[in-house]
């Protein structure tokens, strides 16, 4: 059960009512949409007024200035209509905003409003992310359908590339938040013993960027799409129609979402840990979140800069990404991959955080090599900034630097290997329980192994000559992202449903979902390695006739994968909305602090700030202290340093 | 290592027995798998052996495979063994209380680091010695072939086709490509609009075609045969249809073909711009000075 807030008093006094709530009409997603549309129309009108006479606009009939200004004002309108800007505007105007109040709010309307409760934001993110994931997944079905035949076409080549671009961009931008949004925001305060997050407004705003980005990105389909793929290489992306503006603007919006979300996550984990929550006791999800947050904070601004440059080249005819006129197509490649490669790891790290969090619960053993696990995550995060040019080995750019980037890329195998050591060590002489979440976590290790090992091939420059830009690379990153991240997320949904919704999802249905998804996933993506090695490039709608059988196998497997995920959606929604199979408290017998607060989680998470007494993974030690004292008498007497307020 | 009374059932002897079984199973399957990879599948691995560079890439794939497959199999053996043996249940006590093991962890760090450093060193050697391994080396390659280049082929990519210019044959341009066998070849790859990639799969050559950049790649042909050329960077709507085929033929056949093409194309060659390493695109992104009559923004050749 979530709670309703209108705002939160200064100083983190999350649980206390300090003012009367205003009754009556409250801003919501519908008012956001209305004001957003008005904002778009205003921006578009302004763009036409400003740039309607540009030679380029008159000549081509395409006014990118109007489209981009429409998106900018549309987004501002969306935020105004949701009430997100009320607080900063009031503050700037010197008006003291009304104080906040926490209380239970029944019904679902709270999920359609800007709200400051980390648990409501977590649920908003969960359903938002699932929605975006399934949209992009549906587009993937479109791609695979086209590839049933090497010569007969379902879509034209333009539509095919629109679908490819939409699928890639949607997945790569949205899935950056698939763990931090639903799990980081919801769980981290509970796990570190905090009543709140550091910056609830930033956290909530981070979510509301995502529907705007989703709508704008999809709108490209009605504007001719963009045929540049998610990588948006210039000058192709400069050459494209207005669909490319939707790409660059929505990606930038998601960039802002990642930054705001990361600022909040970093500040929360550093400052809001309860007494006794030492760094050596920090749960793995929190480690995953803080490493990802740092990675995002340092890499995403570069993406936004690159998109800004692309926007200028497209709208006001600068030539920064354009060869021969003072610019260079290499500039975009560098800016994009300086973000793009850390991004790949910031998709992987949260998945590992979830996996290492859940694995000990079902292995009934402590996490093996806790410090090694942390070193692995930090190592991956740091090294991720030194590898981006491995995407450009054949580009002709800095060819003498290739040995260095080969080395740095291969070095990443070492911290990633740490995580495997932790996984194997945790399974060693365990007493494994094969509930559905555990099956997904084991599958994470199985799948990522293919992704990791093929990464060694891709990073070797001579082998890269054969596999760069081929289906081999495509299979490689789908194994690391879908095989790892999405499997971890699915397992986490089964694992955390009792805590989030008070229901325990049906074990039998869960196992049907798991096995069909696991088998069809591997059946879809394993043959793609072979297709790549046999010479099939990415993003083509026609391919060699000799590759048809393998492609058909892959397409049929992908349909089964789609059906498996559909089965999950149906069973999940059915159990959530109709049958609601009641779960006992803490059905997995987890030691995690988040499971100790009971269901429904009280407003402000804890009555009193708990005192952490031991680590979360002390399974198998009968003398282990409970993870925390939830009703400490005199917490300050414990004498353990803490950033969290009491 | 910490043990408690609940874990007293986990004896060291039992642990060693598990280790022996895991290592035993792993060794057997790893040796069999490596044998098949190296001797049975190895000679047929992509991209083949049509050039020195392709053969080098094939060798690298084989070497990485015989190192990677035992790693994969070790993790599988350990994982599946654990799943089979280390099972629990709601009514069973928790597992072995162990939070780390210095020896195991140190061995792991050392082995993985050694493997990774070896692979990086091996990859660097295999990159430098075969002159860039067939990959694009930019305008001023620092790793050049030990034997002199006999043939220069300029690959000009544009939306959505490849054309080839032959500076040693009067700067003629062809839409098809034939290459002589046993010849050291230099490809000068460039684009006159967006980024493309010249991927001659069987030749083991891949180089991005960037506007305003000359990207050089080398290959030494060793075998006769047909090869596929595909664009390997997304370049717009007809990217999927941007491919053609070429042949590696005998040196005499090549010479006959090239001189015949030179004669046949003489009238067209005169209209082409002077041979250059790059051709600047126009503001419209199409052609630049390359096709002056069709491009109002282009400079005349």
């Amino acid at each position: 059960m979530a709670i309703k807030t209108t705002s939160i008093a200064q100083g983190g006094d999350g649980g206390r009512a300090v003012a009367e709530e205003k009754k009556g009409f409250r801003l919501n997603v519908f008012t956001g949409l209305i004001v957003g549309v008005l904002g778009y129309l205003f921006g578009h009108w302004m763009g036409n007024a400003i740039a309607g006479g540009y030679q380029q606009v008159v000549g081509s009939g395409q006014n990118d200035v109007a489209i981009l200004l429409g998106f900018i004002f549309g987004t501002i309108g969306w935020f105004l209509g949701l009430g997100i800007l009320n607080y900063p505007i009031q503050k700037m105007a010197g008006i003291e905003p009304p104080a906040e109040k926490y209380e239970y709010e029944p019904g679902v309307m709270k999920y359609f409003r800007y709200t400051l409760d980390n648990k409501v934001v977590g649920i908003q993110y969960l359903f938002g992310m699932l929605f975006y994931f399934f949209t992009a997944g549906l587009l993937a079905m479109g791609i695979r359908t086209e590839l049933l035949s090497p010569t007969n076409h379902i879509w034209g080549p333009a539509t095919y590339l629109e679908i490819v671009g939409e699928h890639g961009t949607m997945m790569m931008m949205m899935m950056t938040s698939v763990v931090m949004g639903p799990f980081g925001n919801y769980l981290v305060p509970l796990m570190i013993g905090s009543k709140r997050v550091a910056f609830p407004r930033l956290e909530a705003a981070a979510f509301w960027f995502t529907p705007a980005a989703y709508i704008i990105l999809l709108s490209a389909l009605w504007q001719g799409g963009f045929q540049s793929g998610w990588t948006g290489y210039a000058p192709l992306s400069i050459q494209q129609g207005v669909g490319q503006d939707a790409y660059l603007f929505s990606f930038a919006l998601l960039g802002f979402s990642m930054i705001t979300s990361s600022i909040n996550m970093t500040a929360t984990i550093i400052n809001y840990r309860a007494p006794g929550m030492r760094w050596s006791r920090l749960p793995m999800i929190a480690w995953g979140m803080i490493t990802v947050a740092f990675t995002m904070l340092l890499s995403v601004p570069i993406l936004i800069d690159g998109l800004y440059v692309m926007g200028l080249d497209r709208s006001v005819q600068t030539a920064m990404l354009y060869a021969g006129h003072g610019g260079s197509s290499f500039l975009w490649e560098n800016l994009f991959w300086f973000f793009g490669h850390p991004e790949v790891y910031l998709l992987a790290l949260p998945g590992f955080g979830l996996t290492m969090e859940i694995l000990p619960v079902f292995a009934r053993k402590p996490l093996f090599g806790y410090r090694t696990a942390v070193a692995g995550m930090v190592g991956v995060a740091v090294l991720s900034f030194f590898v981006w040019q491995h995407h450009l080995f054949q580009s002709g750019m800095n060819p003498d630097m290739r040995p260095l980037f080969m080395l740095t890329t291969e070095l990443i195998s070492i911290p990633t290997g740490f995580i495997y050591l932790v996984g194997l060590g945790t399974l060693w002489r365990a007493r494994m329980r094969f509930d559905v979440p555990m099956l997904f976590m084991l599958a994470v290790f199985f799948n990522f192994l293919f992704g990791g090992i093929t990464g060694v091939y891709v990073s070797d420059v001579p082998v890269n000559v054969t596999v760069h830009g081929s289906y081999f690379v495509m299979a490689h990153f789908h194994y690391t992202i879908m095989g790892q991240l999405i499997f971890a997320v699915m397992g986490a949904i089964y694992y955390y449903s009792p805590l989030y919704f008070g229901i325990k999802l049906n074990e039998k249905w869960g196992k049907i979902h798991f096995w069909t998804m696991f088998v069809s996933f591997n059946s879809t993506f394993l043959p793609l390695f072979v297709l790549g090695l046999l010479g099939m490039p990415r993003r083509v709608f026609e391919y060699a006739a000799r590759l048809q059988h393998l492609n058909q196998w892959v397409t049929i497997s992908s349909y089964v994968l789609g059906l498996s995920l559909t089965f999950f959606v149906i069973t999940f929604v059915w159990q959530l909305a109709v049958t609601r199979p009641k779960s006992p408290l803490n059905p997995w017998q987890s030691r995690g602090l988040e499971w100790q607060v009971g269901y429904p989680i009280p407003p402000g998470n804890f009555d009193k700030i708990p005192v952490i007494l031991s680590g979360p993974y002390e399974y198998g030690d009968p003398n282990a202290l409970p993870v925390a004292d939830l009703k400490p008498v005199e917490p300050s007497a414990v004498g353990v340093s803490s950033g969290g307020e009491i | 290592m910490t043990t408690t009374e609940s874990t007293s059932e986990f004896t060291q002897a039992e642990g060693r027995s598990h280790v022996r079984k895991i290592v035993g199973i792993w060794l057997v399957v790893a040796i069999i798998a490596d044998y098949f990879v190296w001797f049975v599948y190895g000679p047929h691995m992509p991209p083949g052996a049509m050039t020195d560079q392709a053969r080098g890439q094939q060798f690298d794939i084989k070497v990485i495979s015989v190192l990677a497959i035992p790693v994969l199999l070790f993790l599988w053996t350990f994982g599946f063994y654990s799943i089979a043996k280390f099972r629990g249940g709601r009514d069973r006590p928790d597992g072995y209380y162990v939070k780390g093991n210095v020896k195991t962890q140190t061995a792991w760090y050392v082995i993985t680091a050694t493997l990774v450093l070896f692979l990086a060193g091996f990859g660097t050697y295999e990159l430098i010695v075969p002159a860039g391994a067939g990959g694009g080396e930019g305008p001023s390659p620092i790793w050049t072939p030990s034997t002199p280049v006999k043939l220069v082929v300029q690959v000009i990519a544009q939306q959505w086709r490849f054309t080839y210019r032959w500076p040693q044959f009067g700067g003629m341009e062809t839409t098809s490509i034939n290459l002589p066998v046993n010849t050291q070849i230099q490809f000068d790859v460039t684009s006159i609009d967006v980024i493309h990639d010249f991927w001659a799969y069987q030749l083991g050559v891949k180089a991005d075609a960037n506007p305003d950049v000359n990207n050089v790649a080398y290959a030494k042909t060793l075998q006769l045969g047909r090869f596929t050329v595909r664009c390997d960077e997304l370049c717009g709507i007809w990217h999927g249809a941007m491919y053609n085929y070429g042949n590696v033929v005998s040196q005499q056949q090549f010479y006959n073909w090239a001189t015949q093409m030179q004669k046949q194309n003489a009238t067209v060659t005169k209209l082409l711009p002077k041979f250059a390493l790059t051709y600047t695109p126009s503001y419209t992104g199409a052609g630049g000075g390359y096709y002056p009559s069709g491009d109002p923004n282009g400079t005349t050749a």
Side-chain angles (χ1 to χ4, degrees):
Chain A
M1 180 77 69
I3 51 176
K4 174 175 71 178
T5 59
T6 48
S7 61
I8 281 184
Q10 320 268 314
D13 211 352
R16 195 149 50 90
V18 289
E20 281 301 308
E21 183 205 354
K22 277 193 287 187
K23 298 287 179 196
F25 179 76
R26 292 170 67 187
L27 296 171
N28 57 40
V29 66
F30 303 107
T31 51
L33 273 176
I34 292 167
V35 184
V37 169
L38 293 175
Y40 178 84
L41 293 174
F42 172 74
H44 198 274
W45 167 80
M46 197 160 81
N48 276 327
I50 293 170
Y54 284 9
Q55 189 187 349
Q56 166 77 9
V57 173
V58 173
S60 67
Q62 174 178 321
N63 189 344
D64 298 286
V65 177
I67 298 286
L68 286 171
L69 283 177
F71 288 152
I72 291 170
F73 281 96
T75 308
I76 293 171
W78 166 249
F79 272 54
L80 274 173
L82 277 160
I84 296 173
L85 299 179
N86 291 359
Y87 182 87
I89 290 172
Q90 285 167 329
K91 278 284 189 186
M92 281 191 286
I95 304 163
E96 193 54 35
E100 302 85 0
K101 181 177 176 179
Y102 270 78
E103 64 179 24
Y104 282 118
E105 183 188 349
V108 294
M109 256 325 274
K110 58 182 172 286
Y111 298 115
F112 294 93
R113 275 200 287 268
Y114 171 64
T115 166
L116 303 184
D117 180 3
N118 68 295
K119 295 181 288 297
V120 176
V121 175
I123 302 289
Q124 286 171 333
Y125 257 115
L126 179 66
F127 286 95
M129 287 296 141
L130 286 174
F131 192 70
Y132 310 144
F133 173 74
F134 286 109
T135 308
L138 204 60
L139 292 163
M141 298 292 112
I143 296 173
R144 286 313 319 173
T145 305
E146 167 65 40
L147 295 174
L148 271 170
S149 162
T151 46
N152 293 322
H153 303 302
I154 308 287
W155 320 104
T159 311
Y160 175 71
L161 284 182
E162 278 176 38
I163 295 172
V164 169
E166 287 278 345
H167 164 77
T169 312
M170 179 85 72
M171 284 292 191
M172 291 305 279
M173 69 185 212
M174 293 300 193
M175 293 305 110
T176 52
S177 305
V178 75
V179 176
M180 189 178 283
F183 301 105
N185 287 325
Y186 196 108
L187 295 169
V188 163
L190 289 166
M191 286 179 152
I192 63 172
S194 172
K195 289 190 171 197
R196 51 169 291 186
V197 295
F199 302 121
R201 286 184 182 79
L202 285 186
E203 177 197 58
F207 169 73
W208 289 106
F209 276 110
T210 70
Y214 175 81
I215 292 168
I216 290 172
L217 182 66
L218 269 193
S219 75
L221 286 175
W222 283 268
Q223 302 178 80
F226 53 95
Q227 279 89 25
S228 67
W230 88 281
T231 47
Y233 276 7
L236 178 65
S237 51
I238 311 299
Q239 199 187 57
Q240 295 288 304
V242 291
Q244 195 76 41
D245 296 323
Y247 158 89
L248 74 93
F249 193 81
S250 58
F251 218 157
L253 275 188
L254 235 290
F256 286 118
S257 167
M258 287 189 252
I259 292 173
T260 46
S261 190
S262 299
I263 290 171
N264 172 55
M265 198 50 69
T266 312
T268 304
I269 295 173
I270 291 175
N271 296 308
Y272 282 74
R273 282 169 296 128
M277 180 49 82
R278 306 168 190 153
W279 289 100
S280 58
R281 288 175 179 166
L282 200 64
M284 279 296 131
I285 288 185
W287 274 113
M289 290 301 101
I290 197 164
T291 47
V292 166
F294 269 114
T295 314
M296 283 189 185
L297 284 174
L298 293 174
S299 67
V300 174
I302 311 296
L303 170 76
I304 296 175
D305 288 349
L307 292 165
Y308 175 58
V309 169
M310 182 192 282
L312 290 180
D313 270 15
R314 290 182 51 76
S315 58
V316 292
Q317 311 303 305
T318 54
M320 290 180 266
L321 306 179
Y322 212 118
H325 303 281
S328 166
S329 52
F330 285 164
L331 175 61
W332 168 259
E333 289 185 315
N334 266 320
L335 292 173
F336 180 79
W337 286 116
F338 189 84
F339 153 79
H341 209 84
E343 187 199 358
V344 179
Y345 294 112
L346 64 86
L347 291 164
L349 284 171
F352 281 132
L354 285 175
T355 309
M356 290 192 286
E357 182 69 37
I358 296 174
L359 199 66
V361 178
F362 293 92
R364 309 311 298 170
K365 272 193 66 192
L367 190 74
F368 183 86
Y370 178 95
R371 286 178 187 180
T372 304
V374 174
M377 296 174 106
V378 174
V380 168
V382 171
L383 275 174
S384 71
F385 286 96
F386 300 91
V387 301
W388 80 96
Q389 280 215 352
H390 67 211
H391 294 270
L392 306 167
F393 278 153
Q394 318 308 335
S395 68
M397 185 199 306
N398 297 344
D400 49 335
M401 295 294 275
R402 286 179 295 172
L404 175 70
F405 281 98
M406 173 160 47
L407 173 69
T408 52
T409 306
E410 291 182 351
L411 283 181
I412 281 209
S413 311
I414 299 176
T416 316
F418 286 6
I419 291 163
Y420 269 84
L421 171 67
V422 171
L424 293 190
T426 307
L427 297 186
W428 174 245
R429 305 177 86 181
R431 288 278 160 77
M432 276 185 257
R433 296 173 183 175
F434 297 100
D435 297 294
V436 176
M438 180 62 161
L439 296 178
F440 276 102
M441 297 311 138
L442 292 172
V444 164
F445 280 104
F446 181 90
N447 294 339
F448 192 81
L449 196 52
F450 285 110
I453 283 189
T454 53
V456 176
Y457 289 75
V458 180
S459 65
D460 182 272
V461 181
V463 177
N464 186 276
V465 175
T466 296
V467 296
H468 167 83
S470 76
Y471 263 59
F472 189 91
V473 173
M474 208 268 268
H476 157 73
F477 70 75
H478 276 85
Y479 260 98
T480 59
I481 298 171
M482 185 167 184
Q484 192 257 27
L485 176 68
I486 300 301
F487 273 75
V489 165
M490 286 294 163
I493 291 173
Y494 281 93
Y495 180 71
Y496 281 116
S497 282
L499 185 68
Y500 279 34
F501 309 112
I503 61 169
K504 186 163 180 294
L505 297 173
N506 184 295
E507 197 69 13
K508 193 174 155 191
W509 289 353
K511 283 183 176 160
I512 292 172
H513 166 219
F514 168 77
W515 283 110
T516 49
M517 182 170 165
F518 177 70
V519 172
S520 59
F521 168 79
N522 281 287
S523 174
T524 301
F525 290 99
L526 262 183
L528 296 185
F529 288 118
V530 181
L531 281 171
L533 283 173
L534 291 176
M536 182 159 166
R538 292 171 63 187
R539 297 152 158 175
V540 293
F541 68 104
E542 286 191 344
Y543 54 86
R546 67 195 160 91
L547 303 177
Q548 184 172 9
H549 292 303
L550 263 182
N551 269 298
Q552 287 176 334
W553 175 276
V554 170
T555 298
I556 291 164
S557 300
S558 75
Y559 291 158
V560 178
L561 182 57
L563 285 175
S564 169
L565 287 165
T566 311
F567 177 78
F568 161 73
V569 173
I570 293 169
T571 55
F572 181 56
V573 172
W574 177 256
Q575 292 175 89
L576 191 62
V578 183
T579 58
R580 294 197 64 80
K582 195 168 168 9
S583 169
L585 289 176
N586 194 2
W588 319 112
Q589 298 165 305
S590 166
R591 279 180 53 87
L593 178 56
E594 74 275 21
W595 291 97
Q596 314 307 323
V597 290
Y599 179 84
I601 298 166
N605 301 340
F606 301 94
D607 294 335
K608 285 182 170 182
I609 294 293
V611 171
I612 310 300
L613 301 175
S614 65
Y617 312 119
E618 300 293 314
Y619 301 100
D621 178 6
N623 304 319
L625 291 171
V627 72
D629 181 358
L630 294 176
K631 300 195 185 309
V633 180
E634 190 57 61
S636 58
V638 175
V640 182
S641 68
S642 160
E645 93 272 40
I646 307 295
Chain B
M1 188 187 297
T2 317
T3 53
T4 65
E5 52 188 302
S6 81
T7 58
S8 57
E9 59 185 290
F10 297 100
T11 63
Q12 288 204 345
E14 195 192 29
R16 280 194 290 271
S17 157
H18 288 310
V19 172
R20 275 195 298 273
K21 285 178 193 158
I22 289 171
V23 172
I25 298 168
W26 168 63
L27 272 177
V28 172
V29 289
I31 289 167
I32 295 171
D34 267 0
Y35 174 84
F36 271 93
V37 166
W38 190 267
F39 294 105
V40 180
Y41 181 50
H44 308 288
M45 272 187 183
M50 194 177 270
T51 62
D52 213 12
Q53 282 65 21
R55 199 166 60 177
Q57 290 159 28
Q58 188 189 52
F59 176 68
D60 285 18
I61 294 176
K62 273 162 63 177
V63 170
I64 294 177
S65 298
V66 294
L67 290 174
I69 284 171
V71 174
L72 178 95
L73 290 172
F74 177 75
L75 294 167
W76 276 5
T77 311
F78 193 106
F80 288 121
Y81 185 90
S82 303
I83 289 170
K85 291 280 181 183
F86 307 140
R87 304 176 81 92
R90 291 272 181 282
D91 50 343
R92 296 195 65 188
D94 286 349
Y96 184 33
Y97 182 77
V98 56
K99 298 171 84 171
N101 182 303
V102 176
K103 272 189 198 165
T104 313
Q105 286 169 261
T106 311
W108 186 280
Y109 305 151
V110 171
I111 292 168
T112 51
T114 311
L115 258 179
V116 163
L117 291 175
F118 168 77
L119 281 171
F122 172 74
T124 305
Y125 178 82
E126 285 290 302
L127 169 67
I128 294 172
V129 173
E137 291 201 78
S140 333
I142 53 170
W143 300 309
T144 50
S146 50
T147 53
V149 170
K150 290 281 175 55
L151 179 67
V152 177
V153 183
Q154 183 176 47
V155 179
I156 303 169
Q158 61 181 301
Q159 289 171 323
W160 288 274
R161 68 188 305 162
F162 292 105
T163 50
Y164 306 94
R165 278 195 87 170
W166 309 79
Q168 292 152 315
F169 294 90
M172 70 157 174
E173 184 178 296
T174 61
T175 51
S176 57
I177 179 169
N178 285 312
L179 299 171
V181 75
N182 293 323
T183 306
Q184 183 67 58
I185 299 164
Q186 174 179 325
F187 293 96
D188 285 350
V189 182
T190 190
S191 164
I192 51 175
D193 42 48
V194 302
I195 299 176
H196 303 267
D197 183 284
F198 172 68
W199 182 16
Y201 171 71
Q202 288 86 346
L203 302 185
V205 172
K206 189 174 282 170
D208 274 10
N210 302 287
D212 226 30
V213 175
N214 177 34
N215 196 7
V216 177
Y218 298 102
K220 186 177 183 197
T221 49
L222 299 176
Q223 290 176 355
L224 299 173
R226 191 166 185 245
F227 59 87
T228 314
V229 175
R230 285 212 73 140
C231 178
D232 200 33
E233 289 292 354
L234 180 53
C235 58
I237 295 176
W238 294 102
H239 165 63
M242 187 168 164
Y243 59 88
N244 61 11
Y245 300 96
N247 293 292
V248 177
V249 296
S250 73
Q251 295 190 349
Q252 187 59 48
Q253 278 175 315
F254 170 76
Y255 183 76
N256 293 344
W257 171 78
T259 45
Q260 189 204 333
M261 292 302 281
Q262 191 179 352
K263 263 188 237 158
Q264 190 180 312
N265 291 345
T267 48
V268 180
T269 307
K270 274 194 289 188
L271 301 173
L272 292 175
K274 198 164 177 281
F275 178 83
L277 293 175
T278 61
Y279 307 92
T280 304
S282 72
Y283 285 104
T284 61
Y290 206 75
Y291 298 111
S293 59
D295 178 7
N297 291 320
T299 50
T300 28

